[in-house]
């Protein structure tokens, strides 16, 4: 007690200990916030932006939620986004104030009612919209200022799309895809993003409770179905997207395939009010007995003259030897299997999920049946990619960041998809493509693919042929090199010769002069051989670019830290 009075410990506790406790709570809410004096005017827990706007009652209500420990980082990010919408549209102010005063930290909650994920494995920072994936290695190839610094991804980077290439077991799913999906799910709960993750059935990206929808084609326990036509009402648009999914990976003319599909699904919709399901579409494409005749009779009864012309044109083209209808029928047959009998139905509008829903903060996972239906899984993956790019490019509200993650993008890269990915930067959207090797991409598309994405990632174990593509895309840089040469000094003066002779006797070496030549040469940032043999396990070489045009050179990143 004597030393306590002498040191005035109660006053020390009031001044320092209590603020430190509040700062710890604040750091739990805002792990990326800059250090500020707890309780000061710039303390984020006191909501200074609301106080400056005169909303002291609202700010005090939220500050009390922080002090009581009832607010987490998702709540803070969600309410902060709602306040930004009020600043953009002041007419929302009264609704904002009423909602916050009544519900506190639970205001503007996600439609699912969830305020956090069941579990977190990645280091996400909602204050900066970032997720950490590793640390820049202390390596001579990395710029000195960036060594041992953290490396994180955010929507401004993913908006340029990301391509990750590495063999199985290199860590693409665990150290890249899983953190990105988890971060996007958190941002969806904060009403900032919409995420669609496509993976093979059995690959655990996150628990089922972390998603609003889990779609598993071919699984009887799947509660939802995937809309084969992407929610479109236009036959030409629906045919173009479906043709991309069916034959986009082939050399066939996609325009001819889209025209053939439109000539069938348009008349069918005109008669039945909806597009054909997979069995009906297969019969129409394959020329099943009675399929075209029955559709023609129904059109004649309904008086659809223009649709009849489309159907007659399809009938004439089907007589040609190079008709694309036979190829489309063969491809659609992969989806017309008993396992998919309950899927891709068009007569039940309440069950289908359309990618046009990315205008809302949804969390969706699509599990592909790769084990028993590999070709069908590739068709579905191309279908999702085509529908996603079509949906985000045509949406009117682009305030939400839309992200599509393909855990295995094998056979999904097509000329049309590359052109669509390049346009995503201006649509506040991006895709993450993971490949085992660039050999899974057709040879003419490998260079355009690396040029279409802004972020490129080469994992350890990459083949030299893949490393050569990355080395070419990263280009060269000017570096200084030193050439040191030693030449023997030969002198004709007697005294100097004597000294040189004595030096040789004593040291055993002749007198030499050192010449240093410094010059600038152009060298590859990372060569194909280095990418194939010098990247340690658990590491990757990553280059980043933002939608604003900022970019970083390729960095060696330790993904284990």
């Amino acid at each position: 007690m004597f030393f306590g009075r002498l040191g005035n410990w109660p006053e020390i506790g009031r001044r320092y200990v209590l603020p430190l406790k509040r700062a710890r709570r604040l750091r739990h809410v805002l792990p990326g916030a800059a250090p500020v004096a707890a309780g000061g005017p710039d303390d984020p827990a006191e909501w200074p932006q609301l106080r400056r706007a005169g909303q002291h009652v609202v700010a005090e209500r939220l500050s009390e939620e922080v002090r009581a420990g009832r607010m987490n980082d998702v709540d803070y990010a969600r309410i902060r986004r709602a306040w930004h919408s009020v600043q953009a549209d002041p007419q929302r102010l009264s609704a904002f104030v009423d909602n916050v005063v009544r519900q506190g930290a639970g205001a503007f909650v996600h439609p699912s009612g969830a305020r956090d994920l069941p579990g977190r494995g990645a280091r996400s920072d909602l204050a900066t919209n970032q997720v950490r994936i590793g640390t820049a290695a202390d390596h001579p190839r990395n710029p000195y200022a960036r060594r041992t610094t953290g490396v994180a991804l955010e929507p401004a980077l993913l908006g340029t799309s990301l391509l990750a290439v590495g063999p199985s077991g290199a860590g693409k799913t665990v150290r890249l895809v899983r953190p990105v999906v988890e971060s996007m799910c958190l941002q969806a709960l904060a009403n900032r993003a919409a995420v669609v993750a496509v993976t093979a059935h059995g690959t655990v990206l996150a628990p089922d409770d972390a998603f609003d929808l889990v779609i598993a084609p071919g699984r009887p326990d799947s509660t939802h179905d995937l809309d084969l036509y992407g929610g479109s009402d236009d036959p030409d648009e629906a045919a173009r997207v479906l043709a991309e999914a069916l034959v986009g990976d082939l050399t066939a003319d996609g325009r001819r395939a889209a025209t053939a599909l439109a000539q069938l699904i348009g008349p069918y919709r005109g008669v039945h009010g909806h597009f054909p399901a997979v069995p009906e579409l297969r019969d129409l494409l394959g020329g099943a007995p009675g399929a075209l005749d029955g559709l023609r009779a129904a059109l004649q009864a309904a008086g659809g003259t223009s649709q009849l012309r489309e159907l007659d044109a399809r009938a004439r083209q089907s007589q040609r030897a190079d008709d694309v209808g036979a190829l489309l029928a063969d491809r659609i047959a992969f989806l017309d299997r008993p396992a998919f009998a309950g899927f891709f139905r068009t007569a039940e509008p309440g069950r289908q999920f359309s990618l046009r829903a990315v205008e809302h903060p949804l969390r969706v996972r699509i599990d592909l049946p790769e084990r028993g239906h590999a070709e069908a899984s590739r068709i579905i993956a191309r279908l999702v990619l085509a529908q996603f790019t079509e949906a985000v490019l045509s949406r009117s509200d682009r305030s939400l960041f839309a992200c599509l993650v393909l855990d295995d993008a094998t056979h999904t890269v097509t000329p049309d998809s590359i052109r669509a990915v390049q346009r995503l930067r201006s649509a506040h959207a991006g895709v993450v493509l993971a490949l085992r090797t660039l050999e899974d991409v057709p040879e003419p598309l490998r260079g355009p693919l690396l040029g279409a994405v802004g972020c490129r990632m080469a994992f350890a174990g990459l083949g030299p042929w893949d490393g050569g593509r990355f080395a070419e895309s990263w280009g060269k840089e000017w570096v200084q090199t030193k050439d040191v040469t030693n030449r023997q000094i030969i002198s004709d003066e007697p005294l100097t010769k004597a000294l040189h002779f004595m030096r040789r006797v004593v040291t055993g070496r002749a007198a030499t002069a050192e010449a240093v030549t410094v010059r600038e040469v152009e060298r590859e940032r990372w060569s194909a051989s280095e990418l194939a043999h010098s990247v340690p396990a658990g590491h990757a070489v990553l280059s980043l670019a933002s939608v604003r045009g900022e970019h970083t050179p390729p960095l060696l990143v330790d993904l284990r830290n």
Side-chain angles (χ1 to χ4, degrees):
M1 289 298 294
F2 172 75
F3 290 101
R5 294 191 186 97
L6 182 64
N8 198 11
W9 285 6
E11 180 65 19
I12 292 176
R14 284 191 297 271
R15 289 189 177 183
Y16 302 103
V17 177
L18 291 179
L20 281 175
K21 290 181 179 179
R22 294 180 61 191
R24 291 193 190 100
R25 290 199 298 267
L26 178 60
R27 282 195 294 270
H28 175 70
V29 176
L30 298 174
V36 295
D42 295 329
D43 187 353
E46 299 298 328
W47 296 85
Q49 63 272 36
L50 293 177
R51 298 183 188 276
R52 286 193 294 267
Q55 301 297 327
H56 297 281
V57 175
V58 178
E60 189 58 34
R61 176 77 166 91
L62 295 175
S63 299
E64 178 60 29
E65 295 285 273
V66 174
R67 288 189 288 268
R70 293 190 293 267
M71 179 179 290
N72 60 16
D73 55 346
V74 177
D75 298 329
Y76 185 93
R78 187 181 64 252
I79 297 174
R80 187 178 178 184
R81 171 178 168 78
W83 173 245
H84 288 166
S85 67
V86 170
Q87 291 177 308
D89 185 4
Q91 294 182 355
R92 303 177 180 177
L93 179 59
S94 60
F96 173 83
V97 173
D98 179 67
N99 204 332
V100 172
V101 171
R102 285 189 297 105
Q103 302 186 25
F108 308 102
V109 71
H110 187 265
S112 65
R115 294 170 55 185
D116 203 351
L117 295 179
R120 299 195 193 184
R123 297 181 59 182
S124 299
D125 184 358
L126 288 176
T128 57
N129 292 345
Q130 294 181 342
V131 57
R132 180 165 179 164
I133 61 171
T135 303
D138 188 4
H139 191 271
R141 279 300 180 88
N142 287 343
Y144 182 79
R146 297 188 180 275
R147 297 176 190 174
T148 70
T149 60
V151 177
L153 298 175
E154 60 180 3
L157 300 174
L158 296 177
T160 64
S161 298
L162 186 149
L163 173 66
V165 182
S168 299
K172 299 188 300 297
T173 299
V174 176
R175 296 190 171 99
L176 174 66
V177 174
R178 190 177 296 173
V180 169
V181 171
E182 181 180 306
S183 175
M184 288 294 106
C185 288
L186 287 173
Q187 295 193 40
L189 291 180
N191 296 330
R192 290 178 175 177
V195 58
V196 179
V198 182
T199 182
H201 179 74
T203 303
V204 182
L205 294 182
D208 292 350
D209 295 341
F211 297 93
D212 301 314
L213 294 177
V214 177
I215 303 173
R219 304 283 300 181
D221 54 347
S222 179
T223 59
H224 285 78
D225 190 7
L226 186 64
D227 193 337
L228 190 65
Y229 301 96
S232 176
D233 294 331
D234 183 4
D236 293 324
E237 178 184 345
R240 184 178 68 253
V241 175
L242 184 57
E244 168 70 9
L246 293 176
V247 297
D249 60 325
L250 303 177
T251 57
D253 190 350
R255 291 174 296 180
R256 292 176 54 205
T259 301
L261 286 171
Q263 289 171 340
L264 293 174
I265 66 176
Y268 189 96
R269 179 180 175 81
V271 171
H272 300 280
H274 57 81
F275 291 124
V278 169
E280 290 82 6
L281 182 58
R282 182 184 180 185
D283 291 342
L284 291 172
L285 289 170
L292 288 177
D293 294 338
L295 183 57
R296 181 179 290 104
L299 284 173
Q300 290 173 348
T305 306
S306 61
Q307 300 291 359
L308 275 172
R309 289 199 301 268
E310 289 284 287
L311 197 62
D312 292 338
R314 175 90 286 271
R316 290 192 301 270
Q317 292 173 6
S318 63
Q319 304 301 321
R320 298 176 52 178
D322 60 345
D323 179 48
V324 73
L327 176 60
L328 290 171
D330 292 340
R331 280 304 182 93
I332 200 69
F334 288 110
L335 301 181
D336 189 20
R337 304 297 302 161
F340 303 111
F343 290 85
F344 309 115
R345 291 176 291 185
T346 57
E348 300 179 13
R351 177 181 168 88
Q352 286 83 10
F353 168 75
S354 169
L355 269 296
R356 293 182 182 273
V358 293
E359 290 192 354
H360 307 283
L362 282 176
R363 302 165 296 161
V364 182
R365 193 184 78 211
I366 301 176
D367 294 342
L368 301 179
E370 286 191 354
R371 291 185 179 178
H373 305 276
E375 193 60 39
S377 297
R378 295 167 184 171
I379 293 175
I380 296 173
R382 287 194 299 271
L383 180 66
V384 172
L385 178 57
Q387 291 185 1
F388 175 82
T389 54
E390 186 73 23
V392 297
L393 291 173
S394 61
R395 60 179 177 165
S396 56
D397 183 9
R398 297 182 176 181
S399 59
L400 294 180
F401 178 75
C403 183
L404 172 65
V405 181
L406 290 173
D407 188 38
D408 184 5
T410 304
H411 298 289
T412 61
V413 179
T414 65
D416 287 343
S417 66
I418 290 178
R419 285 190 290 267
V421 166
Q422 290 175 323
R423 299 171 58 194
L424 294 181
R425 301 189 183 201
S426 60
H428 199 204
V431 298
V432 177
L433 306 173
L435 289 170
R436 297 183 183 90
T437 172
L438 287 175
E439 297 294 321
D440 292 334
V441 179
E443 173 66 28
L445 300 181
R446 294 170 192 171
L449 174 62
L450 288 168
V453 298
C455 304
R456 309 178 188 96
M457 198 168 185
F459 281 76
L462 203 69
W465 45 90
D466 289 340
R469 289 287 185 178
F470 277 95
E472 182 181 359
S473 67
W474 282 326
K476 300 180 180 181
E477 61 180 347
W478 289 98
V479 297
Q480 283 189 348
T481 61
K482 289 184 178 181
D483 295 331
V484 180
T485 58
N486 292 320
R487 63 180 182 84
Q488 184 177 354
I489 302 176
I490 300 176
S491 176
D492 295 332
E493 297 182 2
L495 181 59
T496 305
K497 292 177 66 175
L499 292 174
H500 289 176
F501 177 77
M502 294 178 59
R503 179 176 178 177
R504 176 184 291 181
V505 171
V506 173
T507 63
R509 291 179 298 177
T512 59
E514 186 177 90
V516 179
T517 303
V518 180
R519 56 180 177 175
E520 287 190 349
V521 297
E522 208 174 13
R523 186 187 67 181
E524 290 181 326
R525 298 179 185 273
W526 281 84
S527 67
S529 177
E530 290 172 328
L531 289 172
H533 306 294
S534 299
V535 178
H539 290 63
V541 181
L542 170 66
S543 66
L544 300 172
S546 71
V547 293
R548 296 181 296 269
E550 304 164 343
H551 58 87
T552 63
L555 303 172
L556 180 63
V557 181
D558 185 356
L559 302 174
R560 302 168 300 180
N561 186 7

